[in-house]
C-alpha cells in the first residue's frame, strides 16, 4: 500500500513538473527571456525543481553560484520578503544571460528565476503573475485557502483560452455562492466585454458601454462593489440588458489588482444575499482579480505572438508572389486568418491617380474592377490619408459597405509618404476592431505598400511596352493614307488583334456634327454595325454621347449599373471604355471598346487607348484637310440661312410697323367721319322713334319706319365702334390672372357655342404668372376671337382654347391660343386681316373692325398676335402678353 502511494505521488509530481516546464517555456517565449527555472531552498541549499533551456552544465554553474553566501542571502531575503529582484551576472560566469531576475512564490521557499538580456516592466509583471499563479506551490508546506483553490481550480496550469478560463472562474463563484444568473466582463478598448456567463448566454460577447452616469462607469471610478435590491431606488438605474427581469437582487463587484481594475463580475437571484455570502463574494473578487489579470495578459501576449508569426508568414509568402493579383490573393488569405473576416477590400491608385483598381474578396474570390477616383466613396479616405476605425458604419459616411456591415477598419497604403491605396476590413459586428487590430493592420499595410508599388510599376511598364508596339504598328500601316475610313478600320482591327477586344469601334464626326462608324472590328462588329444603322443620332445618347460632349474618357466595369449606358439589341455588354479624339478644344470622334464580361479592362487599357487617341487625332486631322473647303461652304450656307432668317424677322417687324401706321391713320380719319355722322344718325333715329310712337300698329308706313330706325341704329353702332377704335380711352391696368379673364368670357359664349353646334375644349395652364392688363380690353379681345372662330364654322366644328407660359427669343410670355376647324384664311387674306374695315364676313354683317381693335389693344399692351391658317382646315390665333417683371 505504501509503495502504491509512493508511485502515485511520484506520478503526480512528474505531471506537475511537466506543467511547470510548459509554463516556463511559454513565459520565456512571451517575454523574450533566454531561460527560466523554479528553485527551492532545501536543507540550507538551493535546488532546481523545474527548468527550461538551461543545460546540465549551466545548471551546475548556477547551483554553485546560488549557494554562495552573498547570493544565498540575496535569494533568501527576496523569498522571505516576497519582493522580486534582479542583478547582473558576473562576466566570468557562463549562464547564457546578462541579468538574473527572481520572482518569489508567496507562502513558499521557492522562487522563479529568469535569465535575460533585459526585461521591461511589462515582461517583469508577466513573470510576477506567473509566480503568484499557484502553479509552482505544490509539494510545499503552504496550504491553500478555500478561495485560492476556488480560483485556480486545484493547481491547473495557466490557460490560454481566455473565455474558457474565465468561464471556470465564474463557475467557481456560482459554486460557492448560489445565484440564478451571472456574468464576468473584462475591460477592452473602452468597453466592458462579457467573456463568461452563467445562464445568461444572450449577454456573451456583448460590449457594455461605460458612458458618464452609467452604473458600470461608477463602479470603474469608485472601485466599489454594488448590491441593489428591487425595492431600492437605484434598481432602475441598472441597465436593463444586464439585469434579469425576474431578479430580486443584483450585485456587481470590481475585479481589482492593486490600483488597476481588470473587469467586473455580476450576479443576480430572486432572494437577498446574506452578510456572510456578501463578505465571501468580496473576498472571492479579490482572489479572482489576480487570476483574471493573468489570463487576460497571457491571452493578449499569446495573440500578439500569433500575429507576429502571421507577420513573418506575410513577409515570406507575399514576397514570393510573381504579380499583383497573386500578392493581393495571398494578402487576403492571411488577413482572413488574422482577423477572422472575409469582408476584405484593397483599393489601389493608378500612377496618374485618375483611377482605382478595386480588389474585393467576394465569397473567397478576388474580383478586381477599375473605377475613376472622382466621386468614388473611397475618395475622401484617400484625401485624408489617415486611419479610420468605424465602430458603427451607420453613423459614418461609409457608402461602399455591404448592407450587413456594422463596423469597418480602413488603413492607407503609403509609399514614400504618398497614399497609393486603401486597405479595408469589414465586419457584421459592431465595434469589431480594436486599437491593436488597427496597429497591426498599419504594420501590414506598410509592408504591403512597397510590394504593391513594385508590382504595379512592373505591370504598367509591361503595358506601356505593349502600347508602344501597338502605336508603332498603327503608324506603319496608316502612314500615307488619305482616306479617314481606312485609317479608322485599320486601327480597329489592330486593337482587336493586340488586346483581344470583342468589339472596337471608331466613330468620327461628320460635317453635320453627328457621329458615324468609320471603323469597326471584333466578333460582335456585324451585329453592332447593323444595330447602329437604326440609330438616327448615336452621339446624342449613352456613354459615347457623354464622351463626345465632354471630351473626358469613361471606363465602366459593369454597364448594368451605369444609367448612361444605352443597350444595343442582341449584344450583351459587360464592360466598356470610351476615349475622345481631341484636337485642342475640338472633338473629332471617339474610340469605343467593349467586352461581354464585367471588369474586363484595367487602367493600362485606358492608357493604351488614350495614347493611341493622341496619334489618331494627328493622323485624322492630316487626312481631313481636304474637307476643310466643304466645311467652309457649309459655314457660309449656315450664315446665309441665318441672314435670311434675320431678314424675314426684320420684314415682319416692318409689316407690323406699317400695320400700326395704317391703324393710326385710319383711326384719325375714323374719328372725323364718326363725329360727322353721329349727329345726323342720332337725329334720324330719334325722329323715327317719335313717328313710330304716333303711328297705329296697323299703319302701312310702320314697317318702312321700323326699317329706317333699325338701319340708323346699325349705322350708329358702326360709328360707335369707329369712335372706340379711334379714341385713346384711358386704360386701367392691374395685375390679373389671364385664366380668370378667359373663363369669364367663355361663360358668356357657352350658349352661343352650344347653339352653333361647336364642341369646345379648354386647357388652362396651372399656376401661370399674372400679367399687367386692362381686364375689360382683354375680355373684348378674347370675345372677338371666339366670335370670329364660331362664325368661321357655320356648320359646327371644334374649337380649342389654351393658355400657357412660353419663351420667345429669351423672354418669357403668357400666351392664349384659339384654334378652330373652320374654313380658314387664304394667304391673300392673312396679310390684311388686321386692317380696319377688312372683313371676310360681309354677307353676315361684319364691320371689319373686330380684329383691328383687338390688334390695337394687344399692341398697346406691348404684346402681339400670331396667325396661322390653312384653308378649309381652320385657323389659329395666338395672343402673346409679356409677363410683368417684379422689381
Amino acid at each position: 500500500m505504501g509503495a502504491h502511494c509512493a508511485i502515485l505521488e511520484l506520478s503526480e509530481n512528474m505531471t506537475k513538473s511537466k506543467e511547470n516546464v510548459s509554463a516556463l517555456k511559454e513565459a520565456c517565449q512571451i517575454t523574450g527571456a533566454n531561460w527560466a527555472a523554479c528553485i527551492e531552498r532545501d536543507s540550507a541549499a538551493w535546488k532546481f525543481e523545474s527548468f527550461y533551456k538551461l543545460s546540465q552544465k549551466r545548471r551546475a554553474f548556477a547551483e554553485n553560484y546560488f549557494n554562495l553566501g552573498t547570493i544565498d542571502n540575496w535569494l533568501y531575503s527576496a523569498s522571505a520578503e516576497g519582493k522580486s529582484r534582479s542583478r547582473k551576472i558576473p562576466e566570468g560566469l557562463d549562464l547564457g544571460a546578462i541579468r538574473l531576475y527572481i520572482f518569489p512564490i508567496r507562502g513558499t521557499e521557492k522562487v522563479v528565476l529568469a535569465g535575460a538580456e533585459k526585461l521591461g516592466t511589462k515582461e517583469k509583471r508577466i513573470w510576477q503573475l506567473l509566480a503568484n499563479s499557484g502553479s509552482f506551490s505544490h509539494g510545499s508546506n503552504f496550504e491553500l485557502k478555500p478561495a485560492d483553490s476556488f480560483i485556480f481550480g486545484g493547481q491547473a496550469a495557466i490557460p490560454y483560452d481566455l473565455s474558457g478560463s474565465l468561464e471556470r472562474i465564474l463557475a467557481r463563484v456560482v459554486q460557492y455562492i448560489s445565484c440564478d444568473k451571472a456574468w464576468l466582463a473584462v475591460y477592452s478598448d473602452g468597453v466592458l466585454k462579457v467573456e463568461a456567463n452563467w445562464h445568461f448566454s444572450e449577454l456573451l460577447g456583448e460590449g457594455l458601454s461605460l458612458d458618464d452616469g452609467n452604473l458600470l462607469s461608477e463602479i470603474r471610478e469608485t472601485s466599489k462593489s454594488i448590491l441593489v435590491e428591487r425595492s431600492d431606488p437605484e434598481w432602475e438605474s441598472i441597465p436593463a440588458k444586464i439585469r434579469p427581469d425576474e431578479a430580486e437582487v443584483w450585485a456587481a463587484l470590481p475585479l481589482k489588482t492593486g490600483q488597476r481594475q481588470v473587469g467586473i463580475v455580476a450576479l443576480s437571484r430572486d432572494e437577498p444575499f446574506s452578510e456572510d455570502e456578501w463578505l465571501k463574494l468580496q473576498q472571492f473578487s479579490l482572489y479572482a482579480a489576480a487570476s483574471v489579470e493573468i489570463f487576460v495578459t497571457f491571452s493578449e501576449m499569446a495573440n500578439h505572438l500569433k500575429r507576429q508569426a502571421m507577420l513573418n508568414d506575410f513577409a515570406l509568402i507575399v514576397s514570393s508572389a510573381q504579380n499583383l493579383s497573386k500578392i493581393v490573393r495571398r494578402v487576403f488569405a492571411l488577413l482572413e486568418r488574422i482577423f477572422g473576416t472575409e469582408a476584405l477590400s484593397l483599393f489601389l491608385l493608378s500612377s496618374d491617380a485618375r483611377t482605382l483598381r478595386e480588389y474585393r474578396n467576394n465569397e473567397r474570390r478576388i474580383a478586381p474592377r477599375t473605377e475613376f477616383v472622382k466621386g468614388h466613396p473611397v475618395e475622401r479616405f484617400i484625401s485624408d490619408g489617415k486611419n479610420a476605425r468605424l465602430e458603427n458604419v451607420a453613423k459614418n459616411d461609409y457608402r461602399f459597405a455591404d448592407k450587413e456591415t456594422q463596423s469597418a477598419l480602413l488603413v492607407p497604403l503609403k509609399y514614400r509618404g504618398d497614399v497609393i491605396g486603401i486597405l479595408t476590413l469589414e465586419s457584421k459586428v459592431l465595434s469589431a476592431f480594436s486599437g491593436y487590430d488597427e496597429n497591426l493592420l498599419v504594420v501590414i499595410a506598410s509592408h504591403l505598400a512597397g510590394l504593391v508599388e513594385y508590382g504595379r510599376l512592373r505591370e504598367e511598364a509591361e503595358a506601356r511596352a505593349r502600347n508602344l508596339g501597338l502605336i508603332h504598328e498603327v503608324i506603319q500601316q496608316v502612314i500615307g493614307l488619305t482616306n479617314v475610313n481606312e485609317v479608322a478600320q485599320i486601327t480597329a482591327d489592330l486593337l482587336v488583334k493586340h488586346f483581344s477586344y470583342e468589339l472596337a469601334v471608331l466613330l468620327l464626326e461628320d460635317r453635320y456634327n453627328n457621329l458615324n462608324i468609320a471603323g469597326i472590328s471584333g466578333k460582335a462588329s456585324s451585329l453592332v454595325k447593323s444595330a447602329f444603322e437604326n440609330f438616327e443620332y448615336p452621339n446624342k445618347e449613352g456613354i459615347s454621347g457623354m464622351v463626345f460632349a465632354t471630351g473626358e474618357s469613361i471606363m465602366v466595369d459593369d454597364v448594368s449599373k451605369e444609367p448612361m449606358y444605352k443597350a444595343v439589341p442582341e449584344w450583351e455588354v459587360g464592360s466598356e471604355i470610351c476615349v475622345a479624339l481631341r484636337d485642342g478644344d475640338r472633338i473629332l470622334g471617339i474610340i469605343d471598346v467593349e467586352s461581354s464580361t464585367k471588369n474586363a479592362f484595367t487602367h493600362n487599357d485606358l492608357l493604351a487607348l488614350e495614347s493611341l487617341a493622341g496619334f489618331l487625332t494627328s493622323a485624322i486631322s492630316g487626312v481631313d484637310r481636304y474637307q476643310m473647303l466643304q466645311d467652309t461652304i457649309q459655314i457660309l450656307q449656315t450664315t446665309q440661312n441665318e441672314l435670311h432668317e434675320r431678314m424675314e424677322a426684320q420684314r415682319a417687324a416692318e409689316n407690323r410697323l406699317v400695320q400700326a401706321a395704317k391703324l393710326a391713320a385710319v383711326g384719325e380719319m375714323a374719328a372725323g367721319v364718326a363725329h360727322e355722322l353721329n349727329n345726323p344718325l342720332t337725329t334720324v333715329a330719334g325722329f323715327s322713334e317719335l313717328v313710330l310712337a304716333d303711328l297705329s300698329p296697323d299703319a302701312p308706313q310702320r314697317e318702312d319706319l321700323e326699317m329706317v330706325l333699325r338701319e340708323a341704329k346699325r349705322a350708329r353702332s358702326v360709328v360707335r365702334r369707329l369712335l372706340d377704335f379711334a379714341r385713346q380711352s384711358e386704360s386701367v391696368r392691374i395685375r390679373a390672372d389671364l385664366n380668370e379673364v378667359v373663363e369669364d368670357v367663355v361663360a358668356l359664349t357657352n350658349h352661343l357655342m352650344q347653339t352653333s353646334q361647336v364642341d369646345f375644349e379648354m386647357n388652362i395652364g396651372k399656376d401661370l404668372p399674372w400679367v399687367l392688363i386692362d381686364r375689360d380690353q382683354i375680355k373684348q379681345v378674347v370675345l372677338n376671337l371666339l366670335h370670329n372662330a364660331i362664325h368661321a364654322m357655320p356648320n359646327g366644328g371644334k374649337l380649342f382654347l389654351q393658355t400657357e407660359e412660353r419663351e420667345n427669343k429669351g423672354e418669357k410670355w403668357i400666351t392664349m391660343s384659339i384654334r378652330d376647324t373652320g374654313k380658314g384664311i387664304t394667304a391673300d387674306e392673312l396679310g390684311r386681316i388686321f386692317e380696319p374695315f377688312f372683313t371676310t364676313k360681309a354677307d353676315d354683317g361684319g364691320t371689319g373692325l373686330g380684329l383691328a381693335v383687338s390688334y390695337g389693344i394687344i399692341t398697346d399692351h406691348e404684346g402681339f398676335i400670331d396667325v396661322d391658317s390653312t384653308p378649309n382646315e381652320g385657323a389659329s390665333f395666338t395672343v402673346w402678353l409679356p409677363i410683368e417683371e417684379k422689381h
Side-chain angles (χ1 to χ4, degrees):
M1 185 68 179
H4 180 67
C5 291
I7 292 173
L8 288 176
E9 184 178 356
L10 177 61
S11 175
E12 183 179 354
N13 289 337
M14 290 178 64
T15 302
K16 294 300 180 183
S17 178
K18 290 181 180 179
E19 292 175 349
N20 292 346
V21 172
S22 177
L24 293 173
K25 175 183 176 180
E26 291 169 344
C28 283
Q29 290 176 342
I30 293 173
T31 62
N34 297 343
W35 55 267
C38 176
I39 62 173
E40 181 178 15
R41 200 168 192 273
D42 184 19
S43 300
W46 294 95
K47 295 183 179 180
F48 284 93
E49 181 184 90
S50 56
F51 53 85
Y52 170 69
K53 291 188 71 175
L54 194 60
S55 66
Q56 183 177 357
K57 181 180 178 181
R58 285 179 176 170
R59 289 201 306 276
F61 289 157
E63 282 187 355
N64 292 334
Y65 179 61
F66 298 156
N67 290 311
L68 294 174
T70 305
I71 304 303
D72 176 55
N73 291 335
W74 180 66
L75 289 169
Y76 186 76
S77 61
S79 175
E81 295 174 6
K83 295 182 178 179
S84 59
R85 295 181 179 179
S86 71
R87 68 185 299 154
K88 186 176 181 181
I89 299 174
E91 294 184 2
L93 182 60
D94 180 17
L95 293 184
I98 295 177
R99 295 192 70 83
L100 179 65
Y101 295 86
I102 64 171
F103 304 92
I105 300 174
R106 292 180 300 177
T108 70
E109 291 185 349
K110 297 179 182 181
V111 294
V112 173
L113 301 175
E117 307 300 318
K118 184 179 181 181
L119 295 179
T121 303
K122 186 175 182 180
E123 288 77 14
K124 288 189 285 186
R125 183 173 183 80
I126 291 172
W127 283 106
Q128 186 65 60
L129 290 170
L130 176 62
N132 293 337
S133 66
S135 297
F136 301 94
S137 60
H138 64 279
S140 69
N141 296 325
F142 175 68
E143 184 177 351
L144 286 174
K145 298 176 183 179
D148 294 318
S149 178
F150 137 70
I151 291 298
F152 299 113
Q155 320 307 330
I158 297 176
Y160 290 89
D161 176 12
L162 180 61
S163 296
S165 301
L166 298 183
E167 287 282 359
R168 285 194 291 273
I169 290 178
L170 188 59
R172 289 303 180 90
V173 174
V174 176
Q175 179 183 349
Y176 280 82
I177 307 296
S178 65
C179 65
D180 297 328
K181 291 187 177 182
W183 54 266
L184 191 155
V186 295
Y187 293 106
S188 174
D189 286 333
V191 298
L192 265 175
K193 187 175 181 182
V194 179
E195 296 285 358
N197 80 97
W198 175 262
H199 297 164
F200 214 157
S201 58
E202 63 269 25
L203 203 58
L204 187 63
E206 287 286 328
L208 306 180
S209 173
L210 296 172
D211 296 337
D212 292 341
N214 185 298
L215 190 63
L216 298 177
S217 66
E218 180 183 338
I219 295 175
R220 185 169 190 179
E221 292 173 2
T222 63
S223 297
K224 293 181 180 180
S225 302
I226 292 179
L227 180 61
V228 184
E229 296 184 1
R230 182 179 289 273
S231 58
D232 295 336
E234 295 84 358
W235 182 264
E236 294 300 327
S237 65
I238 304 173
K241 67 192 272 187
I242 64 175
R243 181 200 67 202
D245 294 336
E246 67 275 10
E248 293 295 328
V249 61
W250 184 84
L253 302 97
L255 301 175
K256 182 179 179 183
T257 59
Q259 298 298 318
R260 179 171 176 254
Q261 279 193 52
V262 294
I264 291 178
V265 61
L267 305 90
S268 63
R269 66 185 192 183
D270 58 4
E271 60 181 17
F273 294 104
S274 66
E275 291 187 9
D276 182 60
E277 287 177 321
W278 182 239
L279 288 174
K280 283 184 178 180
L281 275 176
Q282 292 178 312
Q283 184 181 13
F284 289 164
S285 70
L286 295 176
Y287 286 105
S291 294
V292 170
E293 183 176 37
I294 292 173
F295 300 149
V296 170
T297 302
F298 273 80
S299 177
E300 289 177 352
M301 294 304 294
N303 287 334
H304 177 72
L305 283 176
K306 180 181 178 181
R307 292 186 177 184
Q308 287 293 338
M310 290 293 185
L311 286 178
N312 292 334
D313 291 346
F314 169 81
L316 292 172
I317 297 174
V318 174
S319 60
S320 63
Q322 298 298 316
N323 56 50
L324 194 55
S325 296
K326 288 185 178 179
I327 291 174
V328 174
R329 190 175 296 108
R330 293 182 179 183
V331 168
F332 279 10
L334 283 171
L335 292 177
E336 185 178 336
R337 286 166 52 196
I338 295 172
F339 295 99
T341 178
E342 297 180 11
L344 308 167
S345 299
L346 177 64
F347 302 90
L348 297 180
L349 277 171
S350 61
S351 55
D352 57 5
R354 291 172 57 205
T355 63
L356 278 172
R357 189 66 172 169
E358 177 184 343
Y359 298 86
R360 185 176 289 273
N361 193 14
N362 186 10
E363 296 181 354
R364 297 183 179 272
R365 296 177 59 190
I366 309 299
R369 55 182 300 175
T370 303
E371 296 186 6
F372 284 94
V373 175
K374 188 175 182 181
H376 194 280
V378 84
E379 181 182 13
R380 69 182 181 95
F381 295 103
I382 293 175
S383 300
D384 292 343
K386 298 178 181 179
N387 304 339
R389 181 154 53 100
L390 310 178
E391 296 184 349
N392 186 351
V393 297
K395 296 181 180 180
N396 297 272
D397 185 17
Y398 188 74
R399 291 175 285 130
F400 51 97
D402 294 332
K403 293 182 179 179
E404 297 181 356
T405 297
Q406 297 290 329
S407 57
L409 178 60
L410 297 91
V411 172
L413 272 66
K414 293 186 178 181
Y415 184 75
R416 295 181 179 177
D418 295 327
V419 176
I420 64 170
I422 297 288
L423 182 60
T424 73
L425 307 179
E426 298 171 1
S427 175
K428 298 178 182 179
V429 180
L430 290 172
S431 304
F433 303 106
S434 65
Y436 184 85
D437 293 328
E438 181 178 346
N439 293 334
L440 181 60
L441 194 61
V442 168
V443 175
I444 293 175
S446 65
H447 288 288
L448 181 60
L451 291 170
V452 165
E453 184 67 8
Y454 171 75
R456 185 182 66 178
L457 291 177
R458 184 176 63 184
E459 288 187 359
E460 288 188 358
E462 293 173 353
R464 286 194 176 102
R466 189 169 70 250
N467 299 346
L468 289 174
L470 168 64
I471 294 175
H472 178 70
E473 189 169 353
V474 171
I475 292 174
Q476 284 185 323
Q477 295 200 31
V478 305
I479 196 74
L481 294 178
T482 59
N483 186 294
V484 174
N485 291 336
E486 286 185 32
V487 173
Q489 187 59 50
I490 290 174
T491 303
D493 291 338
L494 290 176
L495 280 172
V496 172
K497 172 185 174 183
H498 275 261
F499 295 100
S500 301
Y501 295 148
E502 293 178 76
L503 179 69
V505 184
L506 269 78
L507 299 168
L508 298 180
E509 182 188 27
D510 61 18
R511 69 182 65 184
Y512 304 108
N513 301 323
N514 296 324
L515 287 179
N516 295 310
I517 295 178
I520 185 169
S521 185
K523 68 178 185 180
S525 58
S526 58
L527 177 66
V528 174
K529 189 172 184 179
S530 174
F532 265 39
E533 291 175 356
N534 298 322
F535 293 173
E536 185 177 358
Y537 295 109
N539 60 307
K540 299 292 185 180
E541 301 177 342
I543 295 173
S544 60
M546 178 60 68
V547 173
F548 182 63
T550 63
E552 298 294 332
S553 302
I554 292 179
M555 178 167 57
V556 182
D557 276 341
D558 186 354
V559 299
S560 65
K561 297 179 180 179
E562 176 54 61
M564 287 191 302
Y565 177 73
K566 300 297 181 183
V568 176
E570 299 182 15
W571 167 228
E572 296 293 333
V573 180
S575 47
E576 178 178 5
I577 300 180
C578 195
V579 174
L581 302 175
R582 299 190 62 158
D583 184 11
D585 294 334
R586 183 188 171 202
I587 309 298
L588 302 180
I590 59 173
I591 304 175
D592 186 82
V593 297
E594 298 177 3
S595 172
S596 60
T597 60
K598 300 176 182 178
N599 305 311
F601 304 121
T602 67
H603 180 68
N604 293 329
D605 293 303
L606 179 63
L607 290 178
L609 291 178
E610 289 182 337
S611 300
L612 182 61
F615 165 73
L616 283 179
T617 299
S618 300
I620 292 172
S621 295
V623 173
D624 206 38
R625 299 289 184 192
Y626 76 96
Q627 294 181 347
M628 292 182 63
L629 180 59
Q630 294 181 351
D631 293 339
T632 303
I633 295 173
Q634 180 65 33
I635 292 173
L636 291 175
Q637 183 65 41
T638 301
T639 304
Q640 181 180 2
N641 292 338
E642 291 178 355
L643 181 60
H644 178 72
E645 290 177 0
R646 291 181 182 179
M647 291 175 63
E648 288 294 328
Q650 184 176 357
R651 186 177 296 110
E654 289 175 352
N655 289 338
R656 289 176 182 171
L657 288 175
V658 170
Q659 182 68 23
K662 286 182 179 180
L663 289 174
V666 170
E668 293 179 2
M669 179 188 70
V673 171
H675 180 72
E676 293 298 327
L677 291 177
N678 194 44
N679 290 336
L681 288 173
T682 300
T683 302
V684 171
F687 278 104
S688 297
E689 290 175 345
L690 291 174
V691 173
L692 284 171
D694 293 337
L695 286 177
S696 62
D698 54 351
Q701 298 86 358
R702 173 171 289 277
E703 183 177 351
D704 295 335
L705 280 174
E706 286 177 348
M707 183 180 66
V708 170
L709 179 60
R710 187 167 54 253
E711 291 301 315
K713 287 182 177 181
R714 190 170 72 84
R716 191 167 60 182
S717 175
V718 172
V719 170
R720 186 179 300 108
R721 290 188 183 181
L722 279 173
L723 288 174
D724 290 341
F725 173 74
R727 184 184 299 123
Q728 296 296 326
S729 59
E730 182 178 355
S731 178
V732 179
R733 297 186 185 179
I734 58 172
R735 290 183 67 249
D737 184 355
L738 180 62
N739 287 341
E740 291 183 1
V741 174
V742 169
E743 289 171 345
D744 289 347
V745 176
V746 168
L748 294 175
T749 57
N750 265 335
H751 180 70
L752 178 59
M753 287 187 284
Q754 292 174 2
T755 57
S756 301
Q757 297 181 347
V758 172
D759 293 334
F760 179 64
E761 181 179 330
M762 181 168 61
N763 185 9
I764 298 297
K766 295 182 179 180
D767 302 323
L768 294 181
W770 286 18
V771 288
L772 190 64
I773 57 175
D774 184 315
R775 291 176 61 94
D776 292 336
Q777 290 183 345
I778 298 301
K779 281 184 179 181
Q780 182 178 352
V781 172
V782 178
L783 190 61
N784 286 342
L785 294 177
L786 286 176
H787 278 176
N788 287 347
I790 293 170
H791 291 153
M793 299 181 288
N795 299 321
K798 294 184 178 180
L799 178 60
F800 305 91
L801 188 151
Q802 179 176 353
T803 61
E804 60 182 329
E805 181 179 351
R806 294 170 63 179
E807 188 172 323
N808 185 12
K809 297 181 180 179
E811 296 181 358
K812 292 184 178 181
W813 302 73
I814 296 296
T815 64
M816 178 194 66
S817 300
I818 295 177
R819 178 167 57 87
D820 62 62
T821 58
K823 59 186 180 181
I825 306 173
T826 64
D828 293 338
E829 293 171 343
L830 276 176
R832 302 184 59 195
I833 57 174
F834 292 118
E835 293 181 4
F837 307 114
F838 176 79
T839 179
T840 60
K841 301 181 293 182
D843 297 339
D844 296 333
T847 62
L849 292 174
L851 286 178
V853 170
S854 299
Y855 185 90
I857 291 173
I858 297 304
T859 302
D860 191 46
H861 279 74
E862 300 181 0
F864 58 94
I865 302 177
D866 278 344
V867 186
D868 184 25
S869 179
T870 300
N872 300 321
E873 292 185 9
S876 175
F877 286 78
T878 302
V879 176
W880 297 71
L881 291 172
I883 297 176
E884 178 195 8
E885 294 184 1
K886 298 182 179 180
H887 300 285

